[in-house]
């Protein structure tokens, strides 16, 4: 059972998930990183059609036909993660609570809790493609629709408060499985960084009676120099305080706090814009390496005025080193203005 | 001139340092990462003796003989970083202040300041070695003494408040230069993570009238299971809430807030213990890849009761991916108890 542990000095939680060390390619030990399974294709890829039995039983799928679950015929398929960093299982047979928090005390400095939650894999397409730009716009729209469907289903579960959806593309970005997929981690805790954004946005709203993201979009559109591309409903920018070279955020231009409330029309628009924007960063490294993260509001509200869902995309061209991990401050050698200029100029 | 930028939503600063994109191997663009300079050895290595003219002029050196500065004969050599992420130069010719902070306002969401400070390189040894375990105990003690000397010199400069000293070993840990060295970044700001540790430690001290690190050491010695090794004055542990597999901290057993106040006798003890502890993590990957960071107290005090200097060492066996960068929470697939057990068993 994965465990959440709190640092005794700073307010920092880590998930200790020893089961995840068993993933193919999870650890580079003595140079013998096992690449065999991660680059598995066709018959050997558990995410390819025909190999449905290789994954845990599906929890959701979009199917073009009336095929049975866990059989070919799907367009997007959602399965539990085989190596979950969050688990539904209680800590011990006689422990039925979902969050046994061992708090620090006068004599006990260390505190922990079971890392309870749901960890799913969204297989974007039956085709064995490895990057977002290789999807068609329709495939990406299907994948986004499946993510929405999962968020809508999971938010009904009273013990889940938030879900983080993300994609790791390429080994340098932490992918351990080549076939394109997203991951969803839902728990009763809001992830620290999302919680910090929610606090910062609430503070701004209290002072200025405006969503800070809406203000940021206004200012970016006034200045123009950090815009990558726009569609009717979405905008892609290199954020002012980019942590990574060519970091890019995609936001709805109209205020919207929850990704899962997106209109069906907007899904197609988002897919087209996101694919075009991401296609510009993929050539930055060979093979492409980036992370994509959805930041969206907690489940305990339907719509809030101060927070604005968005995607954050981090190309992995530099390595966070001693300074970054030791200081908590990133050094970015490419200004977002230069990054946006280069990405705007990119023609597909 | 590098620039500090504040994120408009969360309290997060980044350093935009476009000059650092020029470092050899700084960016992996389209797969053409330039490895030639970083693995330069002998005649081609700017950190090797005889090539002193290849670096900026030295600011400090330990020399066995009476050789001239910037000539061979040194044991440890400290030079300004050729690609500084912090700079002494003012932003513009007519701008003589050290911190022109452009604050956010009703109409201006974005704030920035020049990234003012000092960025130095401590060349640990004239020998072209690449890891800490390849140093002799005497060489490591010399290198630690040079770091102390620089901290003592820099703390006299009234506009500097703190220095972060760190080492990046191996390409996977962000090293762009093979010859073993440390870096020192001193500025008038305490790095966010150190500031957070100081706040957490102050809070603990206020409640419990004890240093939280001293308490932690007591508890680790009681429990024993996360101890890697000990010397007379120092202890190496895998911390309870380790972010990384085989993360290791080295702390003085007696309370000490400032690394630069270490006694000469303890320097030799620290060198021996640190080298033995680090030799245990180097074989975890081939080639070795880890970061080492000193966390020490700000310059504005001589000694404080609540903060305890220490080294944090992060082997780079996993890749922080979408979940980690998107949530602010690390997933660690190796428990610190298992890590310490394996490291204790390692015999050199």
């Amino acid at each position: 059972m994965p465990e959440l542990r709190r640092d005794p000095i700073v307010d920092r939680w880590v998930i200790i998930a020893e089961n995840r060390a068993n993933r193919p390619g999870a650890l580079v030990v003595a140079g013998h990183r096992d690449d065999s399974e991660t680059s598995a294709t066709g018959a050997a890829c558990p995410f390819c059609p025909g190999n449905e039995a290789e994954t845990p039983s599906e929890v959701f799928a979009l199917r073009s036909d009336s095929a049975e679950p866990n059989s070919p015929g799907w367009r997007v398929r959602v399965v539990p993660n085989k190596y979950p960093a969050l688990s539904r299982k209680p800590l011990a047979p006689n422990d039925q609570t979902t969050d046994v928090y061992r708090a620090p005390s006068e004599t006990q400095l260390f505190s922990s809790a079971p890392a309870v939650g749901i960890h799913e894999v969204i297989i974007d397409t039956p085709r064995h493609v490895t990057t977002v730009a290789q999807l068609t716009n329709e495939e990406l729209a299907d994948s986004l629709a499946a993510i929405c469907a999962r968020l809508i289903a999971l938010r009904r579960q009273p013990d889940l408060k938030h879900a983080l959806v993300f994609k790791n593309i390429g080994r340098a970005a932490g992918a351990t499985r080549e076939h394109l997929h997203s991951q969803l981690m839902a728990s009763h805790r809001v992830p620290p960084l999302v919680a910090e954004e929610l606090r910062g946005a609430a503070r701004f709203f209290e002072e200025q009676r405006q969503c800070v993201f809406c203000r940021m979009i206004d200012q970016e559109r006034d200045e123009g120099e950090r815009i990558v591309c726009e569609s009717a409903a979405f905008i892609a920018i290199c954020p002012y305080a980019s942590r990574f070279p060519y970091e890019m955020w995609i936001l709805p231009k109209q205020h919207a706090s929850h990704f899962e409330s997106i209109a069906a029309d907007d899904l197609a628009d988002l897919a087209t814009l996101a694919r075009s924007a991401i296609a510009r960063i993929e050539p930055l490294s060979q093979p492409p390496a980036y992370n994509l993260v959805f930041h969206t509001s907690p489940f305990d509200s339907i719509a809030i005025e101060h927070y604005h869902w968005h995607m954050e995309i981090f190309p992995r061209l530099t390595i966070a080193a001693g300074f970054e991990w030791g200081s908590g401050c990133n050094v970015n050698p490419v200004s977002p203005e230069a990054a946006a200029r280069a990405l705007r100029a990119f023609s597909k």
Side-chain angles (χ1 to χ4, degrees), chain A:
Chain A
M1 172 82 188
E3 185 186 358
L4 263 177
R5 292 191 179 187
R6 187 184 168 281
D7 185 86
I9 299 128
V10 299
D11 186 23
R12 177 172 68 211
W13 290 82
V14 300
I15 299 176
I16 307 286
E18 298 206 277
N19 57 314
R20 285 182 62 80
N22 300 324
R23 286 177 306 158
L27 282 179
V28 197
V29 176
H32 297 299
R33 189 162 181 159
D34 173 14
D35 281 347
S36 55
E37 272 203 58
T38 57
S39 59
T41 56
C45 172
F47 293 175
C48 277
N51 299 337
E52 285 78 5
E54 300 296 311
T55 67
S57 191
E58 70 191 38
V59 293
F60 178 84
L62 290 178
R63 291 177 181 280
S64 309
D65 57 26
S66 55
E68 288 296 300
N70 300 309
S71 71
W74 47 274
R75 302 197 308 279
V76 183
R77 185 164 182 260
V78 184
V79 298
N81 194 306
K82 205 167 167 181
Y83 306 96
L86 299 170
S87 169
R88 272 300 194 198
K89 290 184 202 122
L91 193 59
N94 59 348
D95 165 18
Q96 295 304 313
T97 59
T98 54
D99 185 16
V100 191
Y101 173 68
R102 184 152 66 93
S105 66
E106 188 111 353
T107 53
Q108 175 58 48
L109 194 59
F110 302 136
S111 52
S112 72
V116 172
I118 282 178
H119 190 171
E120 296 180 347
V121 173
I122 296 118
I123 308 170
D124 293 294
T125 168
R127 295 191 301 125
H128 191 89
V129 299
T130 58
T131 77
V132 172
Q134 292 167 13
L135 294 176
T136 64
N137 289 336
E138 293 68 31
E139 285 175 321
L140 183 52
D142 271 348
S143 163
L144 294 170
I147 292 169
C148 279
R150 288 312 294 154
L151 292 174
I152 289 167
L154 293 171
R155 61 177 295 147
R156 291 199 200 104
Q157 302 196 16
D159 61 334
L160 296 178
K161 192 163 177 185
H162 184 270
L164 194 83
V165 176
F166 58 96
K167 266 183 154 45
N168 303 329
I169 312 280
R171 294 300 294 265
T176 55
R177 181 67 64 196
E178 193 181 80
H179 189 131
L180 192 67
H181 63 283
S182 304
Q183 297 184 61
L184 180 157
M185 285 172 72
S187 83
H188 63 299
R189 289 172 192 266
V190 178
L193 189 50
V194 178
E196 210 183 324
E197 285 190 350
L198 284 159
R199 278 194 301 273
R203 212 161 34 228
F204 187 92
F205 191 87
E206 206 165 297
E207 283 166 21
Q208 313 247 348
R209 311 311 300 171
Q210 191 187 6
C211 162
V212 64
F213 294 91
C214 289
R215 169 76 65 88
M216 184 177 73
I217 293 166
D218 287 347
Q219 193 165 331
E220 292 298 1
R221 297 186 77 191
D222 283 348
E223 299 188 8
E225 61 178 347
R226 283 177 296 270
I227 295 177
V228 177
C229 53
E230 287 187 69
S231 66
F234 295 91
I235 186 167
I237 59 164
C238 293
Y240 175 77
S242 291
R243 285 153 287 176
F244 301 94
Y246 303 95
E247 178 174 341
M248 186 168 66
W249 291 10
I250 297 174
L251 309 97
K253 293 192 211 174
Q254 294 296 317
H255 183 75
S257 55
H258 290 70
F259 171 62
E260 64 267 34
S261 305
I262 191 170
D265 283 358
D266 283 348
L267 262 186
D269 183 4
L270 174 60
T272 306
L273 185 276
R275 197 171 148 272
S276 159
I278 292 168
R280 296 163 198 255
I281 61 151
E282 289 192 356
L284 292 171
S285 70
Q286 201 52 255
Y290 54 97
N291 304 109
L292 185 158
V293 181
F294 287 78
H295 275 182
T296 183
S297 296
F299 293 153
D300 56 10
S301 61
I302 293 297
I304 55 180
E305 286 180 298
H306 63 279
Y307 192 77
H308 198 118
W309 79 263
H310 59 282
M311 287 184 203
E312 301 187 359
I313 299 155
F314 314 126
R316 300 295 291 267
L317 306 171
T318 49
I319 292 168
F323 180 75
E324 284 81 359
W325 286 111
S327 73
C329 174
N330 276 31
V331 177
N332 176 358
V334 179
S335 76
E337 295 77 21
R341 200 162 47 236
L343 296 177
R344 274 197 304 274
F346 178 81
S347 59
K348 290 136 289 144

